[in-house]
Amino acid sequence: MPSLLLPRRLCRTLSPMLLAALLPLAGCQSTPEVVPEPPPPVMVPQLPKIGLALGGGAARGFAHVGVIKMLESQGIKPDLVVGTSAGSVVGALYAAGHGGFELQEMTFDMDRAAFADWQFFGRGLIRGEALGKFINEHVGNRPIEQLPMRFGAVATKLRTGEGVLFQRGDVGLAVRASSAIPGVFVSPVIGGEEYVDGGTVSPVPASYARQMGAEVVIAVDISQPVADAPSDSTLRTVLKTFDIMGNALKGNELKLADVVISPNVKGIASADFESKQRAILEGERAALAAIPKIREIIALKTRLVPAVAPPPSLPPVPATPITRPPLTAPAH
């Protein structure tokens, strides 16, 4: 029977060859390289967009100034403001960069004499051109789209009765359209269409603040219950009629607001410009009472988002000296 044992010399020859063949197989069974997981992204809070909706109310609109003063003192800065009628007047000035205290100083120039460019024949008692001029002068004659804060003015297209939100163009003209109380102000014509006071469709423009992208809407309602008092002039009669209509319409708008600030302007008539300081004070008081609710809503709608990494900085470019040819006298 032949021996199964290989000669010792042959074993010594085959051993290196087998080892060389087995080494790659051993490498295939090695432990795979562990790739570290990337660190979690850094999360930062993102505040919701805050919209301030300022309602109409003629002389009671001075209460908006007090509301803005209080919001500023509490560090609450709206991202956009939209106004109807008197709200568009204050809103335009605020969007132009005038803070609450500046607005309060301006109120000394805001009276009936400043805006009442009377006419005795036509479709309104007041032309409204003085109001438009006052607004444009105080916003630096900039168009709406160039104001530091997003701004919208609500007016009503007279031909169709539909509400229109002005977000571009002449600020003074947009405010005139938003404030053109029928029978009191002449209806301005914009793009071939006549416009009247936005309060006929949206006394407190909360829905338009939503339309502009607000996630938190702070609405300021400066209406008041209709007073049982005689209307001793045509102007007061028209303004009182407007109050009645506004009270009937505002309910649907206020449902769309997260917070409603209602200054106590009881007893301040629409034409009572002498009570401006009281209106400002009532605006401050009502806004202060609403601050906890506003902070709560903002906190609920604040979300965490990944932080945006800053762009990589480029290496500094070494300065290159500029050589100039020697100056020579000009040729004769």
Side-chain angles (χ1 to χ4, degrees):
M1 181 176 181
S3 174
L4 296 177
L5 298 175
L6 295 175
R8 184 176 300 173
R9 182 180 297 175
L10 182 58
C11 288
R12 286 197 301 265
T13 304
L14 291 176
S15 294
M17 297 175 61
L18 288 173
L19 182 61
L22 292 175
L23 279 176
L25 296 178
C28 293
Q29 298 175 358
S30 61
T31 303
E33 182 182 357
V34 178
V35 179
E37 295 184 4
V42 177
M43 307 298 285
V44 295
Q46 184 180 72
L47 296 176
K49 290 184 180 179
I50 302 173
L52 186 60
L54 305 179
R60 295 189 298 271
F62 292 111
H64 293 316
V65 175
V67 170
I68 290 171
K69 282 181 62 182
M70 185 54 63
L71 293 179
E72 286 184 337
S73 72
Q74 298 296 313
I76 297 173
K77 174 76 171 177
D79 298 281
L80 58 93
V81 59
V82 57
T84 291
S85 196
S88 73
V89 175
V90 177
L93 298 173
Y94 182 45
H98 299 292
F101 285 98
E102 288 182 83
L103 292 174
Q104 185 170 12
E105 291 180 3
M106 286 184 191
T107 61
F108 297 109
D109 299 326
M110 294 181 188
D111 54 26
R112 277 178 293 190
F115 302 147
D117 44 356
W118 299 96
Q119 66 173 19
F120 298 101
F121 302 98
R123 297 173 62 181
L125 300 174
I126 303 173
R127 290 192 299 272
E129 295 172 1
L131 172 61
K133 180 181 178 182
F134 176 88
I135 294 296
N136 281 333
E137 286 178 352
H138 286 81
V139 302
N141 292 303
R142 290 171 292 182
I144 295 175
E145 60 270 23
Q146 290 183 11
L147 298 180
M149 181 185 296
R150 290 187 61 200
F151 169 68
V154 178
T156 304
K157 188 180 293 186
L158 183 59
R159 180 175 58 85
T160 63
E162 64 181 312
V164 176
L165 178 65
F166 289 104
Q167 298 185 79
R168 297 183 63 82
D170 188 300
V171 182
L173 188 56
V175 170
R176 278 185 60 195
S178 181
S179 307
I181 300 173
V184 178
F185 284 88
V186 174
S187 304
V189 178
I190 304 173
E193 295 280 358
E194 284 187 272
Y195 289 90
V196 295
D197 196 296
T200 56
V201 293
S202 180
V204 186
S207 62
Y208 289 95
R210 294 283 184 199
Q211 181 179 323
M212 292 176 68
E215 298 167 291
V216 173
V217 175
I218 303 170
V220 185
D221 174 22
I222 55 172
S223 64
Q224 66 170 352
V226 179
D228 184 16
S231 300
D232 52 5
S233 67
T234 301
L235 177 60
R236 291 182 186 275
T237 299
V238 173
L239 293 175
K240 185 172 181 178
T241 303
F242 221 67
D243 286 341
I244 296 171
M245 181 183 62
N247 284 333
L249 292 174
K250 69 179 183 179
N252 291 332
E253 287 281 0
L254 295 182
K255 292 177 184 177
L256 299 174
D258 295 286
V259 180
V260 178
I261 299 175
S262 300
N264 179 16
V265 289
K266 185 177 181 180
I268 302 179
S270 298
D272 185 4
F273 281 79
E274 287 71 30
S275 298
K276 62 180 71 173
Q277 295 306 319
R278 182 200 152 194
I280 292 173
L281 181 59
E282 294 295 346
E284 292 179 16
R285 289 172 175 168
L288 179 61
I291 293 299
K293 180 66 174 177
I294 295 173
R295 294 196 189 282
E296 177 187 350
I297 296 296
I298 293 175
L300 287 173
K301 296 195 176 186
T302 298
R303 55 185 181 272
L304 294 177
V305 297
V308 178
S313 57
L314 299 176
V317 179
T320 304
I322 300 175
T323 56
R324 293 184 175 89
L327 296 177
T328 58
H332 294 287

